[in-house]
Amino acid sequence: MKKHSIFTCAVAAGLCLAFLGGCGKSSDGTEVQETESYWASQQYDTLSGTDFVKVGESGKMQLLLNPATATIRWMDTSTGIYQDTNMSHDEGIQGLTNSEQSDLVVRYFSGSTKSNMLYYTLSSFDSYSMCVNRGQMAYQLMDNGVRIVYTLGDDSITYKNFPPRITDERMQEYVLQYLDDVQKTVITERRYTQLSGGDWIRNFADGEQNKITQAGAEELYNFFYVIGKYTDELLMEDLETNEAEPEDYPSTLELKVAVEYYLDGEELVVNVDTTKMETDAEHPINQLQLIPYFMTSDSTNDAEEGYMFVPDGSGALIYLDSTKTKEYHYSGSFYGGDKLVGGTSFNSVDNKMMMPVYGMKTADSTIFGVIEEGAEVAFLDAYVSGTDNSEPFCKVKLAFDIQTQQAVSSGMRNAGGDFTLYKASDDVYDKNITLRYFWLGADADYVDMAACYAGYLQEKGILTTEDVEDEAPFYVELLGGTDKTKYFLGIPYEGTQSLTTFGQAEEILKNLTDNGVSNVKLIYSGMVNGGMNQRSLASGIKFTPGIGGKSGLNSLKKYAESVGAQIFPNLQLQTAYTKSNINNEMAAWNIVNERGQIYSFDPVQKAIVDDADYPLYMVSPTYLEKYLNKVKKSYSSRTGLNTMASGDLFTFVGTNYRYTQVAPSTGRELMKSAMEGFIKDGLTLMLSNPISEAYAYSTYLTDIPTTDSGMRVLDASIPFTAMVLDGHKTYSSESLNRESTDVYVNFMHVLEGNGAPKFTFIYEDNSILADTEQEDYFAVNYSYWRDKIGAYYEEYRNFYNQVKGATITEHELYERSDNLRIVTYSNGVKVYFNYSDLEEQIDGVTVPAFSYVIK
């Protein structure tokens, strides 16, 4: 049956497709600029049939396409092993779902700007049911690959194609006079009821307005539109006359998304140019899932030796034969996500996914993925078999935010409690989403994944091979001053508490030297502008009161130079505490028009802390370059140093949603530009576990995690980040003693990753931190460590000297135990680590409890 012309919009005529927009009039009457569909004017290649055809080949790898299912197959011709982008051709699974046969899931706003429905109603189309099953895909061959243009849409006839109320005059004129008696009976006795006033109201099936079978809808469509003379335009008039709600209008929404699949060498690249995605004015795209079933395990094989790799903390594995079906699946956002969207919804677990990578090892292949573009808006989910809709396989999938929204309490209440409003950002992600996959082979493991990523970063110029330091480096953080409530004649006032003066810092450094500690990287936190709760630096660098001023720093510098130590004042450069000196231009603003704030989490109350004494505000990325230039100029004149540490720079991607709006893609570019100017005059920078792209801007790194986040679904932590950095950067662990005096296990983790240990100290007694924002620093008083620190450094130096200049070439979880590990270095040294509380035999080597043996 041929249908009449489709509706041009859910509630308006004249729709043209455009990137995240449309043309004609939207539901609120707003004029939208007309833009012709880019894809409608393109030429396409004719590809058909149910067999796979070759669309690319390089080296041993081939790229194949099944035109009937739009499935891409990446195959190793030397072994015949392949990986498909979806499950369409998996013979081991019966009754495949639409999602399992899809390479794309598009989530979009499905409401209308009328009645503000746009901002909370979300719907989604999957590429199988809404494209492939309808034969709506098109192909363009490209260099060593293919571009698939997915047209996703639903033009099914539903109850919405028929007026909920129509006058008797219009029913007779446009429908009933053209029908025979049997056809009239269907309408007048089964589908519509005539009121006493003459109007007809829709009365489908069991009396509910939206109950009609597909066959019934098609029959009625034939009576109204084919035999009768009813039209789309008449329906629109009837809907408007009866003031129908926006959701009662029929929709013929079409979304167009083009995905490129091609070989770059033997590597598979999957790319989406988001500027060429097309939708209409009423349905902006909210999120994309891209090839969500590509990285899946074999449903017929338990793959005992296989695992999923996620970049959680130091790196973590989830075994393919895991039985943790009652645990939460793994979920996290790269780089911590957009801090200004959903800022008051806080996850108690900090995944610290600072590398945009992931991978899977199965019985016959190892695939490693890198997010080249789009990591700042990416989310990763990893499921063990049986957890996601009982699917009989493990999978790692990615989603990418295009236009995000945030819930905000309206301050009003209804019968259900607080009435929540939603607002979407005006800016959108407008860069490419690019995934690059490496086929590492059946014998590869996570060590090969780390080596692959290190090589990738070297090719990009982000990592370089650096000279080995002759003396073992030792990272020491000192806390200068902080805010503390004091009392005068019983009256409280806000004062500054000195924790470690410059003179005391010099005394600590002398003691370290006397205890044999050398090559100290001295990180001085809380040294400027309010101390540990550092205020804005926009008005210049000012030493924290009470720690000694410029003369004290000069004395400390002179002594440090004499013993070969380096001083790194630790500054916050993307954030500042309190609103002081943060003007409207400097501040970042969230999408509900509030100053952007980063909240901490209270694990006891299991809630975010939104009433902190010193709230932490964000610097707008549009202001960052100007801000860093101001800081550098003032810093140089005040300190006379060309070394600096930053605990927050590049630990997240900045955004802004007021004035000049900045989505994550733009924020990332602005941050890179600001950094390039910041370090161009030879500033030696130490960054704290930054996103991997920032390695290019730093000489030293600190706070590199030594374990994973501890999520229960994870099976084993691995030193993946450390193995990537090994041989390229000098890096330290997170502070070993901030929370406990029992540091030896974490000290062993530092050695396992071939890193340097870091300790945090204050000169004053630990009790002085009570009632300050730093009261959770439980074990940092230097007097406790004075007679112990030399022994830690001596043990670390002995280890360092045995592996100096060597890199990790093998790392084994012995018999899949998270407590027993064997690390092999490129100079032949092997180290056996035992993290259990019992003596263990590791590959024939006896290792005491909580200890290690070097061979």
Side-chain angles (χ1 to χ4, degrees):
M1 177 181 64
K2 182 178 179 180
K3 297 181 183 178
H4 281 203
S5 60
I6 63 173
F7 285 97
T8 55
C9 181
V11 287
L15 172 67
C16 290
L17 294 175
F19 163 60
L20 297 181
C23 66
K25 290 187 178 181
S26 66
S27 60
D28 58 2
T30 304
E31 292 287 346
V32 183
Q33 183 179 2
E34 293 193 8
T35 306
E36 291 186 1
S37 168
Y38 172 83
W39 296 112
S41 61
Q42 293 292 296
Q43 298 294 316
Y44 297 96
D45 293 291
T46 301
L47 297 171
S48 60
T50 57
D51 295 329
F52 279 91
V53 295
K54 184 170 68 175
V55 293
E57 185 168 19
S58 181
K60 66 178 183 179
M61 303 305 295
Q62 276 189 358
L63 202 61
L64 308 171
L65 165 71
N66 188 302
T69 62
T71 304
I72 295 292
R73 176 167 290 176
W74 188 32
M75 185 168 69
D76 180 353
T77 58
S78 66
T79 62
I81 303 299
Y82 59 83
Q83 193 78 3
D84 287 349
T85 54
N86 61 62
M87 313 294 288
S88 295
H89 303 275
D90 191 325
E91 297 178 356
I93 303 178
Q94 301 297 317
L96 288 166
T97 65
N98 292 336
S99 294
E100 290 166 350
Q101 299 176 83
S102 295
D103 285 327
L104 188 68
V105 178
V106 184
R107 195 170 73 185
Y108 60 90
F109 293 102
S110 57
S112 166
T113 51
K114 187 175 182 179
S115 304
N116 291 322
M117 290 187 62
L118 171 65
Y119 297 121
Y120 67 90
T121 309
L122 293 170
S123 298
S124 63
F125 284 163
D126 67 80
S127 62
Y128 177 74
S129 66
M130 291 297 176
C131 177
V132 174
N133 200 36
R134 299 165 181 266
Q136 297 174 176
M137 59 283 193
Y139 302 111
Q140 291 179 326
L141 294 174
M142 53 189 298
D143 186 21
N144 230 10
V146 64
R147 179 183 296 110
I148 303 179
V149 181
Y150 300 92
T151 299
L152 303 97
D154 183 8
D155 59 357
S156 300
I157 303 168
T158 69
Y159 72 97
K160 296 181 181 182
N161 292 88
F162 310 100
R165 184 173 184 138
I166 183 173
T167 66
D168 184 56
E169 179 183 2
R170 288 167 75 88
M171 180 70 92
Q172 296 293 340
E173 179 180 357
Y174 296 111
V175 182
L176 294 180
Q177 69 165 313
Y178 300 100
L179 307 181
D180 62 29
D181 291 342
V182 174
Q183 294 165 339
K184 287 179 182 178
T185 300
V186 171
I187 293 180
T188 61
E189 295 185 10
R190 293 175 52 196
R191 302 303 186 190
Y192 278 83
T193 298
Q194 190 171 27
L195 302 176
S196 59
D199 287 357
W200 297 84
I201 61 169
R202 199 169 56 197
N203 183 31
F204 290 169
D206 57 4
E208 295 185 34
Q209 293 288 295
N210 61 345
K211 295 294 183 181
I212 188 170
T213 65
Q214 186 64 37
E218 291 181 357
E219 177 187 49
L220 196 59
Y221 190 94
N222 189 47
F223 295 165
F224 266 72
Y225 293 91
V226 180
I227 299 174
K229 302 301 181 183
Y230 198 71
T231 65
D232 298 343
E233 291 74 17
L234 292 171
L235 175 61
M236 188 69 69
E237 293 173 3
D238 286 331
L239 291 171
E240 291 175 351
T241 297
N242 291 285
E243 298 181 344
E245 292 298 320
E247 63 268 26
D248 289 328
Y249 284 77
S251 172
T252 54
L253 171 65
E254 281 190 346
L255 308 177
K256 288 185 182 290
V257 180
V259 184
E260 298 172 348
Y261 304 88
Y262 62 90
L263 294 178
D264 182 8
E266 295 186 343
E267 299 154 17
L268 171 63
V269 178
V270 182
N271 182 70
V272 175
D273 181 351
T274 63
T275 65
K276 289 186 170 61
M277 297 190 304
E278 295 179 352
T279 179
D280 68 29
E282 296 291 340
H283 301 87
I285 292 175
N286 166 253
Q287 187 184 87
L288 293 183
Q289 288 183 28
L290 191 56
I291 52 173
Y293 286 87
F294 176 60
M295 200 161 286
T296 57
S297 65
D298 186 345
S299 60
T300 63
N301 188 341
D302 285 338
E304 183 176 317
E305 298 302 317
Y307 46 77
M308 295 178 281
F309 159 69
V310 293
D312 177 286
S314 64
L317 306 180
I318 304 173
Y319 293 129
L320 298 187
D321 60 354
S322 170
T323 58
K324 296 180 179 180
T325 56
K326 294 183 179 180
E327 308 291 350
Y328 292 115
H329 78 277
Y330 183 85
S331 181
S333 55
F334 290 92
Y335 312 156
D338 188 340
K339 299 294 185 184
L340 296 184
V341 175
T344 55
S345 60
F346 201 96
N347 192 333
S348 61
V349 177
D350 185 359
N351 305 84
K352 294 183 179 177
M353 295 205 302
M354 308 309 283
M355 290 184 170
V357 296
Y358 48 98
M360 179 176 286
K361 177 177 175 60
T362 62
D364 50 20
S365 68
T366 302
I367 296 176
F368 177 63
V370 176
I371 307 175
E372 282 198 333
E373 296 288 339
E376 60 268 33
V377 295
F379 303 84
L380 181 147
D381 292 280
Y383 297 87
V384 301
S385 178
T387 56
D388 190 22
N389 296 316
S390 301
E391 291 175 333
F393 49 79
C394 299
K395 68 179 178 184
V396 180
K397 70 176 185 178
L398 299 174
F400 299 84
D401 267 358
I402 303 300
Q403 183 176 14
T404 54
Q405 69 173 357
Q406 180 169 339
V408 57
S409 175
S410 66
M412 300 180 289
R413 296 182 65 83
N414 57 21
D418 285 337
F419 179 63
T420 301
L421 298 176
Y422 292 79
K423 184 176 181 182
S425 64
D426 292 333
D427 203 4
V428 297
Y429 181 83
D430 59 357
K431 304 295 183 183
N432 282 11
I433 295 172
T434 308
L435 312 179
R436 182 177 294 269
Y437 292 97
F438 299 84
W439 188 278
L440 301 182
D443 296 330
D445 58 13
Y446 55 82
V447 179
D448 298 290
M449 293 183 191
C452 178
Y453 190 50
Y456 172 86
L457 293 177
Q458 278 188 287
E459 288 184 9
K460 297 290 184 182
I462 295 172
L463 282 182
T464 58
T465 301
E466 296 185 356
D467 295 332
V468 177
E469 300 199 36
D470 289 335
E471 292 290 332
F474 196 69
Y475 287 61
V476 173
E477 179 187 25
L478 299 180
L479 310 186
T482 191
D483 297 283
K484 186 168 185 175
T485 300
K486 296 185 176 182
Y487 296 88
F488 179 73
L489 300 178
I491 301 173
Y493 69 95
E494 292 304 310
T496 300
Q497 175 65 59
S498 173
L499 305 175
T500 311
T501 67
F502 288 134
Q504 292 166 343
E506 187 173 336
E507 183 181 333
I508 290 174
L509 188 54
K510 285 180 179 178
N511 183 261
L512 289 171
T513 303
D514 292 343
N515 278 283
V517 180
S518 59
N519 196 9
V520 173
K521 315 295 183 187
L522 183 62
I523 306 165
Y524 214 127
S525 301
M527 176 177 149
V528 301
N529 294 57
M532 295 298 293
N533 309 315
Q534 181 202 291
R535 313 307 198 261
S536 165
L537 305 174
S539 59
I541 300 293
K542 302 177 181 66
F543 293 119
T544 301
I547 67 170
K550 192 168 185 177
S551 61
L553 176 61
N554 286 337
S555 177
L556 176 61
K557 283 164 53 180
K558 185 176 179 180
Y559 181 75
E561 289 171 3
S562 71
V563 296
Q566 293 174 283
I567 302 174
F568 294 85
N570 192 13
L571 275 57
Q572 293 174 209
L573 298 173
Q574 274 188 258
T575 58
Y577 285 92
T578 78
K579 294 180 181 179
S580 302
N581 294 318
I582 303 179
N583 59 26
N584 287 352
E585 181 189 13
M586 180 179 176
W589 298 80
N590 65 24
I591 62 177
V592 292
N593 205 30
E594 300 169 336
R595 286 174 180 261
Q597 186 176 341
I598 296 179
Y599 298 90
S600 58
F601 184 81
D602 185 338
V604 177
Q605 299 296 325
K606 295 183 179 180
I608 61 107
V609 179
D610 58 3
D611 58 350
D613 292 335
Y614 300 95
L616 185 60
Y617 292 95
M618 296 169 56
V619 176
S620 171
T622 60
Y623 189 80
L624 188 61
E625 186 167 4
K626 181 189 292 187
Y627 187 54
L628 293 184
N629 286 336
K630 286 182 178 182
V631 170
K632 184 168 66 171
K633 183 177 180 180
S634 176
Y635 179 82
S636 177
S637 63
R638 292 291 290 164
T639 68
L641 291 167
N642 67 346
T643 52
M644 180 192 296
S646 178
D648 68 347
L649 192 58
F650 259 105
T651 58
F652 61 90
V653 173
T655 53
N656 184 52
Y657 297 106
R658 186 180 178 189
Y659 304 117
T660 302
Q661 298 213 356
V662 177
S665 56
T666 307
R668 174 171 160 258
E669 295 303 316
L670 288 172
M671 291 170 64
K672 288 168 60 178
S673 176
M675 280 297 295
E676 288 164 2
F678 190 55
I679 64 172
K680 69 178 181 180
D681 297 327
L683 180 66
T684 299
L685 193 62
M686 178 187 293
L687 296 181
S688 175
N689 192 29
I691 66 177
S692 55
E693 191 173 32
Y695 297 161
Y697 308 119
S698 62
T699 304
Y700 300 100
L701 297 170
T702 187
D703 297 322
I704 300 302
T706 55
T707 62
D708 60 41
S709 65
M711 290 182 70
R712 292 191 296 270
V713 71
L714 303 175
D715 290 309
S717 67
I718 58 172
F720 183 89
T721 304
M723 289 188 290
V724 171
L725 296 172
D726 195 17
H728 302 287
K729 288 285 181 187
T730 300
Y731 55 95
S732 86
S733 66
E734 297 169 303
S735 181
L736 299 183
N737 67 313
R738 174 173 163 171
E739 298 179 354
S740 173
T741 57
D742 187 8
V743 302
Y744 194 73
V745 168
N746 286 333
F747 178 77
M748 287 172 56
H749 281 302
V750 175
L751 303 185
E752 181 190 349
N754 205 13
K758 174 184 175 182
F759 284 80
T760 297
F761 302 127
I762 63 172
Y763 188 87
E764 302 294 345
D765 189 85
N766 229 82
S767 62
I768 208 166
L769 296 175
D771 299 321
T772 72
E773 295 293 301
Q774 289 73 45
E775 62 184 357
D776 59 341
Y777 286 62
F778 294 121
V780 294
N781 175 237
Y782 184 69
S783 63
Y784 176 85
W785 298 96
R786 182 185 299 272
D787 299 326
K788 302 177 178 65
I789 202 68
Y792 276 102
Y793 181 74
E794 181 63 23
E795 182 176 347
Y796 160 62
R797 179 167 58 187
N798 289 337
F799 185 95
Y800 180 86
N801 287 335
Q802 292 196 58
V803 300
K804 183 167 62 176
T807 57
I808 296 173
T809 56
E810 295 180 41
H811 186 279
E812 179 185 353
L813 300 171
Y814 185 67
E815 295 182 346
R816 287 216 315 187
S817 170
D818 197 28
N819 289 326
L820 310 178
R821 293 148 181 260
I822 306 173
V823 183
T824 304
Y825 292 84
S826 56
N827 63 356
V829 171
K830 277 194 173 185
V831 187
Y832 301 80
F833 289 91
N834 177 13
Y835 291 101
S836 76
D837 57 1
L838 299 172
E839 179 180 279
E840 298 283 357
Q841 292 288 318
I842 306 177
D843 200 23
V845 177
T846 302
V847 186
F850 299 120
S851 187
Y852 61 93
V853 172
I854 302 176
K855 292 289 187 178

